[in-house]
Amino acid sequence: MSRKIVDRTEMPKQSPEARRTNFSEVALGLDPELARREAERCIQCKTRPCTTGCPVEVDIPEFVALIAEGKYDEAAAKIKEKNSLPAICGRVCPQESQCESLCTLGRKYEPVAIGALERFAADWASKRAVEKREACAGDVDSDLQCGCEQKVCELDSRGCAPTSDSAASAARVAVIGTGPAGLTCAADLALKGYKVDMFESLHDTGGVLRYGIPEFRLPKSIVDEEVEYVRSLGVRIFTNVVVGLTLDLREMLESGQYQAAFIATGAGLPYFLGIPGENLNGVYSANEFLTRVNLMKAYMFPQYDTPVNIGSKVAVVGAGNVAMDSARTSLRLGAEEVKIVYRRSRAEMPARLEEIENAEEEGVEMMLLANPVRIISDGCGKVSGMECIRMELGEPDASGRRRPVPVEGSEFILDVDTVIVAVGQGPNPLLTERTKGLELNRKGNIEVRDECGATSIPGVWAGGDIVTGAATVISAMGAGKRAARGIDEWIRSKF
Amino acid sequence: MFKIVEKCTLAPGVHQYEVEAPLVAKSARPGNFVVVRTSETGERIPLTIAGHNRETGTITLVVQEVGKSTMEMGMLEVGDYFKDVAGPLGQATRIEKVGTVVAVAGGIGVAPVLPQIRAHKAIGNHVISIVGARTRDLLVLRDEVEKFSDEVIWATDDGSLGYHGFVSGALEELIGSGQKIDEVIAIGPVRMMQAVADVTRKHNIPTTVSLNAIMVDGTGMCGCCRVTVDGEVKFSCVDGPEFDGHKVDFDELVSRQGFFRDKEQIARERFEADRGGCKCHAK
């Protein structure tokens, strides 16, 4: 090969000093020139290993080639054939361990920046869709405010109308949860011609995309845009409906109102440490902290009514992406010192490398091989410190990672006034425990019987974190996609 | 959007609403609550359902103006809308035929107690209600209480009506009179529920309290409403809101309820300034 491979294009970012004081997006995206330059790095190899690394099977070489040719709308349409939420995936997918990790170019050079290119194409198309929609006669605003009215906009940003055939168009499917798994499943089913109703327990859509991932990593306008796309396919979204409490899933099916259902309720149950002092004021679950800030917009208090208190010295327990999000959010709310407290070493940190780097650049300190033992009160019910113990790594455990073992007598006190517990989430039992006949595993996750996510109840599929436990946005989307396929096959065979 | 079809002001700063929420009305049971938001920038506020009507598809909510969000609700009139109403949330009250049930309510705790006494009466329990407030004019929903109770004891802190003193004192007196009591339910301010639980503990009377911890989502997702019950951490929103009153750590609850007090005050003051001064004591 005679082609000269240029260096991988790095996406411009806000400087660490600037961004740690604002909630605007950190990574700024590629401009057309940078995008084309990066797309031209792709050698269009015959083996296409990148595509096998994508849980939603995006035709990566094809869309990259279209960008290289300057056909950005076509590139976006190509992605959307397989991925309904590309602007989100382009931002939060761990490409380094998926598509990009398999890139042929990556064997000798840096892999193609597939994530950055996906984001570029999606943002380009989404800007176009907004322009088109503004020209559309439909009164978008009033429907948006209601959040529960059917809205069928003729325009599909892929430029094609949903297909319809009789088996599909006669059937109605309920999708429970409007997070990444639900949105993907709903969009795929709508594109196959099904009538789809989505149910959301909160007042706004998006699930973890809305309440969990901060604005500076995934602007909510992007989530709005992607949800709007799903609505534009004819999907109805009902907010404020807690299936399991407001409606009973079995009744929805048995009444004949719905022929099938997909459960995608996520990992909405925060784990705590189970140590003394955890109910003191100043201790948050990461879920609470992030929900206050992201969903309820507490960072704009008092313009928004929901408050959040941040102290000057914050300890975030855990080292996953949620922990990094919590730490970086703490800085932006005005905390002076923010520490990640993690019981293992750097090598075992589950967060994406990019997020760890971002956090460190912004000034988050990593306190590794330390484990909280108790949280100390100031005598008035508020946090005034956290006792930790030093850890060392022993033999590998069931997860293959070296097990952290406490070092006897190494306790020390960390001077903090806020503790955010980010040690994972479990399955929220509201729906699962109230749905008779739904088989769960010991942890409370839904048991599925095949790759598509069929559950113990005929006609009911499940996918995303409620099945796997807390995982990634893209794996949830993959599950949504497979469930749509399973539901389609099942309905065709039955009706 | 959830339309207000009826509103009446029960006492200064205390309003009762009839709100169109057919799906909630259909599934609601005594003890359930809803999470309500008034505007796009509003908080999610948990409110116990004070009644529901499956035919009209409406639920009854009673709101006391205490902070910005509830003051904003107070300004809503018939024909206006709540932006969001989600529910019914929480565990329903266990209603069993036990004999004599005493319902103790303080302040607007009387509103959420209504569906419970109604259900207890319907199942055949003898219902004695002890309802207290600071003063006579703040004793609201008196007709409804009379209707669903076999006996009613009113109590006022200032002695303007009925028993002169706290509801816990009235309960103590009732027990002292030899009344056999099989179960007590207490709903109201935390310290009131604590005082009731202290009284019944001495007499070994099973007592259920309904906790009003701070919540965000109300569906078990955030853990903000965690309370300690019998040494264990529980989430009020999904494990409760009703718990064994003898096992609740009330001091912790009071402390947690105060965590955002400074911010609540800022929000209230800003709101009052926008509205042209405090109106809560206007006559």
Side-chain angles (χ1 to χ4, degrees):
Chain A
M1 192 167 301
S2 60
R3 248 169 94 171
K4 184 175 179 298
I5 303 294
V6 297
D7 287 344
R8 175 175 158 120
T9 315
E10 288 308 322
M11 194 185 294
K13 281 186 197 173
Q14 280 196 69
S15 76
E17 301 71 42
R19 72 193 194 226
R20 63 170 284 173
T21 62
N22 70 53
F23 276 84
S24 306
E25 192 167 19
V26 167
L28 302 171
L30 302 178
D31 62 23
E33 192 187 332
L34 288 176
R36 280 184 79 159
R37 176 180 175 276
E38 181 60 24
E40 282 164 3
R41 293 180 69 235
C42 174
I43 57 170
Q44 294 289 325
C45 61
K46 288 210 176 65
T47 49
R48 309 158 52 85
C50 53
T51 54
T52 59
C54 177
V56 294
E57 307 148 22
V58 168
D59 297 313
I60 296 167
E62 281 81 357
F63 95 75
V64 171
L66 287 164
I67 293 178
E69 291 167 34
K71 296 179 178 164
Y72 309 135
D73 288 312
E74 290 86 341
K78 181 49 85 181
I79 301 172
K80 272 211 164 155
E81 283 175 14
K82 300 287 175 64
N83 179 350
S84 299
L85 315 171
I88 293 170
C89 289
R91 287 171 167 82
V92 302
C93 263
Q95 292 98 7
E96 66 281 1
S97 59
Q98 297 182 344
C99 52
E100 292 179 15
S101 73
L102 301 169
C103 175
T104 303
L105 199 62
R107 286 193 227 147
K108 266 179 92 174
Y109 306 92
E110 285 287 296
V112 174
I114 300 168
L117 290 175
E118 179 179 34
R119 171 179 162 162
F120 166 77
D123 287 357
W124 177 275
S126 141
K127 223 187 298 166
R128 286 299 189 83
V130 171
E131 288 164 11
K132 278 196 228 168
R133 222 185 348 263
E134 276 165 4
C136 174
D139 185 4
V140 176
D141 282 345
S142 66
D143 281 329
L144 264 183
Q145 270 172 15
C146 177
C148 61
E149 292 293 321
Q150 178 166 22
K151 190 170 72 62
V152 186
C153 182
E154 298 297 317
L155 292 160
D156 162 356
S157 57
R158 296 188 325 142
C160 61
T163 55
S164 71
D165 62 58
S166 57
S169 61
R172 194 174 276 285
V173 182
V175 172
I176 301 147
T178 64
L183 287 170
T184 304
C185 184
D188 277 24
L189 287 169
L191 286 168
K192 290 180 204 288
Y194 290 92
K195 297 193 205 96
V196 184
D197 288 351
M198 301 190 78
F199 298 93
E200 168 59 50
S201 68
L202 292 170
H203 59 264
D204 207 349
T205 52
V208 72
L209 306 170
R210 179 88 55 186
Y211 74 75
I213 304 178
E215 178 76 16
F216 56 83
R217 206 149 73 76
L218 178 63
K220 299 312 145 209
S221 58
I222 301 283
V223 180
D224 289 338
E225 197 53 46
E226 303 279 50
V227 170
E228 205 43 50
Y229 165 70
V230 175
R231 276 209 179 100
S232 77
L233 303 174
V235 173
R236 302 193 296 182
I237 303 180
F238 298 89
T239 53
N240 294 313
V241 177
V242 191
V243 177
L245 293 173
T246 316
L247 294 173
D248 181 85
L249 177 58
R250 297 208 69 130
E251 266 177 42
M252 291 163 75
L253 293 163
E254 283 156 17
S255 66
Q257 214 180 342
Y258 295 96
Q259 281 67 55
F262 177 56
I263 304 174
T265 49
L269 180 76
Y271 289 145
F272 284 90
L273 297 161
I275 60 174
E278 232 173 345
N279 285 2
L280 290 169
N281 285 333
V283 182
Y284 297 96
S285 73
N287 265 16
E288 179 191 347
F289 182 69
L290 293 173
T291 300
R292 284 182 178 276
V293 177
N294 301 335
L295 174 71
M296 306 309 296
K297 300 195 163 44
Y299 67 95
M300 289 195 262
F301 178 88
Q303 190 193 334
Y304 281 73
D305 295 339
T306 304
V308 66
N309 288 334
I310 192 79
S312 58
K313 292 173 180 171
V314 180
V316 177
V317 183
N321 289 323
V322 173
M324 298 305 145
D325 285 346
S326 302
R328 298 171 70 196
T329 298
S330 300
L331 283 176
R332 284 160 174 78
L333 290 173
E336 284 155 29
E337 285 173 28
V338 180
K339 287 187 176 68
I340 290 278
V341 177
Y342 183 48
R343 63 198 180 121
R344 301 180 197 248
S345 74
R346 187 172 284 267
E348 291 84 19
M349 288 170 84
R352 290 179 70 186
L353 184 61
E354 183 184 322
E355 300 308 328
I356 298 169
E357 284 171 3
N358 277 333
E360 287 191 307
E361 278 173 19
E362 287 165 17
V364 174
E365 294 168 53
M366 302 294 158
M367 176 166 278
L368 305 171
L369 292 165
N371 203 26
V373 180
R374 70 184 170 105
I375 300 167
I376 300 159
S377 168
D378 66 350
C380 301
K382 214 185 155 311
V383 175
S384 70
M386 183 165 78
E387 185 177 322
C388 300
I389 188 163
R390 293 274 171 211
M391 308 292 277
E392 56 190 12
L393 294 180
E395 293 301 308
D397 62 13
S399 73
R401 299 179 297 178
R402 293 176 63 191
R403 185 194 304 274
V405 209
V407 179
E408 224 173 291
S410 68
E411 289 87 349
F412 63 99
I413 288 173
L414 207 57
D415 177 21
V416 293
D417 50 23
T418 303
V419 175
I420 300 170
V421 181
V423 295
Q425 301 94 250
N428 188 304
L430 272 193
L431 167 68
T432 53
E433 280 182 359
R434 285 174 172 80
T435 305
K436 282 194 196 97
L438 188 65
E439 268 176 33
L440 309 176
N441 69 13
R442 266 187 30 238
K443 287 181 179 167
N445 294 106
I446 298 175
E447 285 278 4
V448 296
R449 305 188 157 185
D450 62 18
E451 195 221 35
C452 294
T455 69
S456 54
I457 304 178
V460 177
W461 277 257
D465 286 0
I466 189 67
V467 171
T468 57
T472 59
V473 167
I474 189 69
S475 68
M477 289 177 56
K481 193 167 207 50
R482 292 191 301 276
R485 207 174 283 155
I487 290 170
D488 181 42
E489 280 167 19
W490 187 77
I491 287 181
R492 279 175 197 289
S493 72
K494 204 160 178 285
F495 295 98
Chain B
M1 302 285 271
F2 300 80
K3 192 175 181 181
I4 296 168
V5 291
E6 263 180 66
K7 176 187 182 183
C8 78
T9 297
L10 304 174
V14 180
H15 313 284
Q16 176 172 299
Y17 300 92
E18 209 58 28
V19 184
E20 271 178 9
L23 293 180
V24 180
K26 196 171 152 236
S27 322
R29 286 187 291 160
N32 286 149
F33 67 96
V34 287
V35 163
V36 176
R37 223 165 58 111
T38 43
S39 72
E40 195 50 56
T41 55
E43 286 182 280
R44 292 172 63 91
I45 301 288
L47 294 171
T48 306
I49 301 171
H52 60 267
N53 184 330
R54 300 210 163 117
E55 274 144 42
T56 56
T58 56
I59 57 170
T60 311
L61 299 174
V62 175
V63 182
Q64 178 166 34
E65 296 183 18
V66 286
K68 191 224 159 167
S69 298
T70 45
M71 287 175 176
E72 210 166 51
M73 284 180 195
M75 293 171 72
L76 296 177
E77 301 297 339
V78 172
D80 290 341
Y81 293 83
F82 284 110
K83 181 121 183 49
D84 302 287
V85 175
L89 303 170
Q91 302 287 338
T93 310
R94 246 197 13 249
I95 309 279
E96 284 167 4
K97 184 144 197 283
V98 288
T100 298
V101 173
V102 175
V104 188
I108 65 152
V110 65
V113 116
L114 281 178
Q116 303 204 15
I117 57 175
R118 189 177 185 163
H120 275 293
K121 201 167 156 67
I123 206 175
N125 286 319
H126 182 79
V127 176
I128 304 175
S129 295
I130 302 178
V131 181
R134 277 206 320 277
T135 184
R136 182 195 179 104
D137 291 345
L138 297 176
L139 281 171
V140 298
L141 299 166
R142 283 165 61 179
D143 291 348
E144 288 81 353
V145 173
E146 298 275 5
K147 191 169 148 196
F148 302 127
S149 311
D150 295 292
E151 296 171 48
V152 182
I153 299 167
W154 303 104
T156 49
D157 300 359
D158 65 359
S160 53
L161 183 79
Y163 177 84
H164 187 166
F166 296 144
V167 284
S168 47
L171 175 65
E172 183 97 69
E173 206 176 87
L174 180 70
I175 297 169
S177 75
Q179 172 69 49
K180 183 182 157 296
I181 301 170
D182 300 289
E183 190 182 323
V184 167
I185 48 183
I187 307 185
V190 179
R191 291 304 186 194
M192 178 225 107
M193 294 190 285
Q194 182 175 22
V196 168
D198 285 344
V199 169
T200 57
R201 187 181 289 113
K202 288 185 291 195
H203 302 281
N204 252 327
I205 306 169
T207 299
T208 304
V209 293
S210 178
L211 305 186
N212 48 349
I214 299 177
M215 293 181 189
V216 184
D217 61 288
T219 60
M221 205 184 80
C222 81
C224 173
C225 64
R226 57 198 190 277
V227 290
T228 304
V229 181
D230 205 14
E232 265 184 63
V233 177
K234 299 280 181 191
F235 290 0
S236 293
C237 65
V238 289
D239 300 320
E242 293 176 5
F243 293 101
D244 181 342
H246 296 155
K247 294 178 175 165
V248 170
D249 183 340
F250 288 105
D251 291 341
E252 181 186 89
L253 176 62
V254 168
S255 166
R256 289 188 63 77
Q257 282 182 332
F259 185 41
F260 296 103
R261 196 154 290 144
D262 295 352
K263 294 259 162 59
E264 287 160 6
Q265 188 162 344
I266 293 170
R268 191 171 57 231
E269 283 168 2
R270 254 176 60 109
F271 182 72
E272 283 168 349
D274 286 352
R275 215 169 55 160
C278 168
K279 296 236 169 55
C280 51
H281 297 298
K283 289 273 154 69

